[in-house]
Amino acid sequence: MKRRTFLQGMGAALATGALAHAPAAQATRKRFRWKLVTTWPPNFPIFQDGVKHFARQIRRMSGGRLTIQVFAGGELIPPLQTFEAVSQGSVEMGHGAAYYWAGKIPAAQFFTAVPFGLNAQGMNAWLYSGGGLELWREVYAPHRLVPFPMGNTGVQMGGWFRKEIHSLEDLRGLKMRIPGLGGKVIAKAGVNPVLLAGGEIYTALERGTIDATEWVGPYHDLRLGLYRAARYYYYPGWHEPGPTLELVVHKAAWDALPKDLQLLVENTAMATNLWMLSEFEARNLEALQTLKEKYRVQVRVFPREVLAALQRLTGQTLEEEAAKDALFRRVYEHYRSFQATHEAWSTISESAYAQARDT
Ligand code: CA
């Protein structure tokens, strides 16, 4: 009797369950085949690898319900047209860095990195827990894009110089490959900032067309062979203290995705954010040792006077940009207020610990 009741009950539960879950079952059967375009060269370590890793994880975890085909820059569309392509919905996803779109949205630069701004830990804190991501979503909404942080290089290197820098005077008149706000800041110190794509840097430096260049960090710089064209390798990367990379999803495609797949994308992007940062951290250390020991690169810190001047000029530059664009000002103020709090805390936590360890 007991058993019969149980079986009857189960039968009823299965029947109602099947009915109640019919639309959900249909949704889970639906398969999505998406395209993702990146701004990176094919086989670009960590950057492009991280995106492939992301797509692979999602395919496996979704049991093939969401398959993302990844295209490197230029394979489907030119690298710097990914924003437009995803915004228009020609492809569902894109990966790059928000500051590439500074021409369209000057405020987007805060979601990657600004000179003397937040480091990777600070960026993650601002974006995930300090309201930064909500602000980013709002800034991208008119472009029909949903952004997610996905990758961070950590603090970059200051760059390769063909001659030593002892003072501000030594910077004057130099031609340096340095993009974005960093370029605007250093221009105020008398440097001529030059824009060059990754593939053009080595030759320009080797031939002396430029006197200096920044790129990424030891791992990528070693691969580009920059140590053969310049001897002095300066730190820190004041202009890119912890650039966040972005995943963008076309809004209509995002809305059409069932909730569980949305969560899968969101959480895999977050896991990939950590994966890329960890890869940079581990690989850079090994590469720096190779540069120093095998190639006898002279690693130098920028003189205090130079860094102080660049920091002052950064404040001026950000104020000038904010005066030109209301949205820039709004994001700047939000960012600046978070950075002040973060710095006050990190002064007695991360920085204090680093100082204590190094004494
Ligand atoms: Ca860089």
Side-chain angles (χ1 to χ4, degrees):
M1 183 65 195
K2 226 177 174 182
R3 182 178 147 83
R4 213 177 134 208
T5 316
F6 172 72
L7 284 177
Q8 274 175 342
M10 216 171 83
L14 279 173
T16 48
L19 283 174
H21 292 123
Q26 224 165 31
T28 54
R29 273 199 305 271
K30 183 157 185 198
R31 284 173 181 266
F32 296 84
R33 293 183 65 82
W34 281 12
K35 290 188 175 74
L36 189 164
V37 289
T38 80
T39 52
W40 319 118
N43 304 318
F44 196 37
I46 310 180
F47 294 84
Q48 185 71 11
D49 291 350
V51 179
K52 288 193 206 156
H53 170 84
F54 164 81
R56 219 166 27 236
Q57 298 286 317
I58 287 192
R59 180 171 48 77
R60 285 182 189 159
M61 285 191 285
S62 69
R65 286 167 56 219
L66 177 55
T67 312
I68 302 163
Q69 199 181 356
V70 178
F71 298 89
E75 285 180 350
L76 198 60
I77 52 159
L80 295 180
Q81 281 175 24
T82 60
F83 184 95
E84 281 302 315
V86 185
S87 174
Q88 288 161 5
S90 330
V91 290
E92 291 83 2
M93 284 176 153
H95 190 264
Y99 63 8
Y100 290 153
W101 326 125
K104 274 189 252 295
I105 316 170
Q109 296 171 98
F110 289 100
F111 303 113
T112 309
V114 296
F116 294 98
L118 294 162
N119 62 6
Q121 203 165 336
M123 279 303 286
N124 286 334
W126 179 54
L127 292 170
Y128 293 129
S129 308
L133 186 53
E134 283 86 345
L135 193 55
W136 194 358
R137 297 245 157 102
E138 201 188 312
V139 169
Y140 274 22
H143 304 274
R144 299 170 302 275
L145 293 174
V146 186
F148 301 86
M150 193 167 111
N152 195 308
T153 68
V155 64
Q156 298 202 354
M157 284 293 281
W160 298 84
F161 289 76
R162 285 160 65 93
K163 61 166 199 170
E164 273 187 281
I165 303 298
H166 297 291
S167 65
L168 272 173
E169 201 44 51
D170 289 334
L171 284 180
R172 252 178 263 286
L174 291 187
K175 275 194 194 139
M176 178 173 187
R177 184 266 180 195
I178 174 168
L181 280 170
K184 286 190 176 169
V185 171
I186 210 164
K188 290 182 190 297
V191 169
N192 299 315
V194 179
L195 274 180
L196 289 175
E200 303 166 322
I201 299 176
Y202 174 78
T203 314
L205 189 63
E206 200 264 332
R207 290 185 184 160
T209 316
I210 54 173
D211 307 294
T213 185
E214 71 82 53
W215 181 228
V216 185
Y219 182 59
H220 288 82
D221 294 10
L222 171 65
R223 225 173 145 261
L224 212 56
L226 295 173
Y227 60 89
R228 294 199 303 268
R231 184 148 179 248
Y232 301 101
Y233 196 21
Y234 274 88
Y235 67 92
W238 57 274
H239 62 301
E240 290 185 319
T244 295
L245 308 176
E246 69 173 12
L247 171 75
V248 284
V249 185
H250 181 66
K251 181 67 167 64
W254 177 253
D255 290 343
L257 213 58
K259 187 72 192 160
D260 65 326
L261 290 182
Q262 285 186 344
L263 279 170
L264 188 61
V265 169
E266 190 173 0
N267 283 282
T268 311
M270 196 187 247
T272 308
N273 193 26
L274 176 61
W275 183 84
M276 287 203 213
L277 178 62
S278 309
E279 282 290 305
F280 276 109
E281 201 73 2
R283 301 286 93 80
N284 275 335
L285 176 70
E286 296 163 358
L288 185 66
Q289 278 167 346
T290 306
L291 286 170
K292 280 180 7 186
E293 286 158 25
K294 188 167 172 195
Y295 299 114
R296 303 278 163 215
V297 165
Q298 300 295 305
V299 180
R300 298 272 195 276
V301 64
F302 283 119
R304 198 176 268 274
E305 172 212 10
V306 168
L307 290 172
L310 291 172
Q311 187 158 14
R312 188 172 41 78
L313 296 171
T314 293
Q316 269 181 30
T317 307
L318 292 174
E319 279 302 327
E320 283 168 17
E321 297 298 309
K324 288 190 277 189
D325 187 276
L327 189 57
F328 187 100
R329 165 141 340 255
R330 201 173 141 227
V331 179
Y332 175 38
E333 278 169 6
H334 192 282
Y335 181 97
R336 187 166 53 176
S337 130
F338 187 87
Q339 187 179 356
T341 318
H342 180 254
E343 270 171 18
W345 167 240
S346 75
T347 301
I348 60 161
S349 57
E350 299 294 328
S351 313
Y353 168 69
Q355 273 175 14
R357 183 196 54 198
D358 299 341
T359 47

